[in-house]
Amino acid sequence: MILFPAIDLKDGKCVRLQKGDMDKATIFNDDPVDQAQQFAAQGFKYLHMVDLNGAFAGESVNGDPVEKIIRDVDMPVQLGGGIRTLDHIKAWLDRGLTRVILGTIAVRDPDLVYKACELYPGQIAVGIDARGGKVAVEGWAETSELDVIELAQKFEGAGVAAIIFTDIDRDGILTGINWDATLELANATKIPVIASGGLASMDDIEMMTKPEMQALEGAISGRALYDGRIDVPAALEKLNKV
C-alpha cells in the first residue's frame, strides 16, 4: 500500500488548489526540487506530480522542475497534466519518468491509451477525475457525460498500470477521501486504483489498512502532508505492514 506525496506545479512553484480552482492556489514551496528531496528524506517511495498549467494548456508547461526532480531525486515519479500525444509520452519516458498519467486524452482518444500501453507496458496510468460521478477533463474545467466506471472499464485488458481516481469536490479541502466511490470503482475493474482527493488525517491512513482496501494500490496526499496533519513515520510504518 503506497502513500504518494503530491507535488502540483503552477508557474514553477509547488502549490495546492481547492477543488481544482487555479485561482485558489496556496504556494507551499517555491522550489519543487527541494520539496521532492524533503519527501525522499522522509522515506516516501514514489512521487506523484501534476503539471497544472499543462493540464489547461494541453502540453507540458512546468517541464524544467520535473526534469530536475527526475535527475536529482532518487525516487520514481509519475506525472500527469498536458500529456496528450504519443510524442509527449515518449519524450517523458525517455527523460526517466517512471509512469505517465493520461487524463483528458483518455476520454478524447481511448485508442491512444491502448497504443501507449502496447508501446510502454507498465508505464501508463489513467487519471479519472470525477465531479458528481461524471468525468471531468481539460484541467477539470469541463465535465463530460461519461460515467467514471464506464470509462475505467473501457481500458480493461489494455495494460493500464493504474487508475488515479480523484473526487474533485474533495480535493484540497481536507474532508477525507471518498472511500465509497473509490472502492466502488476498485471493485468494478481489475486495474489497480489509487485514491486521490481529500486525504485529511491519520484516520484516512488507518482506513487504508483495512482488508477491503486491498483492492487499492495506494492513495495520494497533498495538503494534509504540507499542513502537518499526517505523522509521516507512523503512516509509512502502518502502510508498510499492509
Side-chain angles (χ1 to χ4, degrees):
M1 184 70 71
I2 302 170
L3 183 62
F4 296 80
I7 291 180
D8 289 359
L9 296 168
K10 179 177 184 284
D11 305 330
K13 296 178 172 61
C14 179
V15 307
R16 297 303 295 170
L17 306 182
Q18 290 185 24
K19 299 183 180 181
D21 189 338
M22 288 286 272
D23 294 327
K24 295 181 180 178
T26 302
I27 298 171
F28 282 98
N29 198 326
D30 290 334
D31 185 349
V33 179
D34 172 72
Q35 188 60 60
Q37 289 170 335
Q38 289 184 43
F39 285 144
Q42 287 175 302
F44 289 102
K45 302 300 184 188
Y46 209 127
L47 181 63
H48 174 82
M49 299 189 71
V50 178
D51 181 346
L52 295 171
N53 301 105
F56 285 92
E59 60 184 5
S60 296
V61 175
N62 292 286
D64 286 347
V66 178
E67 286 190 58
K68 288 176 183 175
I69 287 170
I70 293 170
R71 185 183 68 235
D72 297 341
V73 182
D74 187 19
M75 186 162 43
V77 178
Q78 62 182 22
L79 173 71
I83 303 172
R84 298 187 187 169
T85 69
L86 288 173
D87 285 343
H88 287 166
I89 294 166
K90 182 179 186 304
W92 274 119
L93 294 177
D94 284 349
R95 290 175 191 146
L97 197 69
T98 303
R99 194 151 68 183
V100 167
I101 303 166
L102 305 179
T104 295
I105 199 63
V107 176
R108 304 281 194 236
D109 187 2
D111 288 343
L112 185 141
V113 177
Y114 272 83
K115 182 65 174 176
C117 289
E118 180 184 329
L119 291 171
Y120 309 107
Q123 294 187 283
I124 306 299
V126 169
I128 299 182
D129 306 323
R131 183 182 283 115
K134 299 297 184 181
V135 178
V137 295
E138 304 292 347
W140 301 353
E142 300 176 22
T143 303
S144 72
E145 291 303 310
L146 193 60
D147 180 79
V148 168
I149 291 175
E150 179 187 354
L151 178 59
Q153 290 179 339
K154 280 189 177 184
F155 301 114
E156 287 285 353
V160 171
I163 289 171
I164 293 95
F165 172 63
T166 305
D167 184 332
I168 296 168
D169 293 326
R170 300 204 183 200
D171 190 66
I173 60 171
L174 299 168
T175 56
I177 285 174
N178 186 341
W179 291 114
D180 289 343
T182 302
L183 282 179
E184 182 182 11
L185 173 60
N187 290 326
T189 178
K190 295 176 183 177
I191 304 168
V193 172
I194 299 169
S196 175
L199 192 146
S201 69
M202 292 298 289
D203 289 343
D204 284 311
I205 301 298
E206 193 64 42
M207 182 68 74
M208 291 168 67
T209 68
K210 295 187 179 300
E212 61 267 29
M213 296 296 168
Q214 296 312 298
L216 303 180
E217 179 176 291
I220 293 165
S221 180
R223 186 174 289 269
L225 285 176
Y226 294 107
D227 286 350
R229 294 169 182 262
I230 302 295
D231 180 338
V232 172
L236 295 179
E237 184 180 2
K238 280 178 179 289
L239 297 176
N240 285 338
K241 293 176 180 178
V242 176

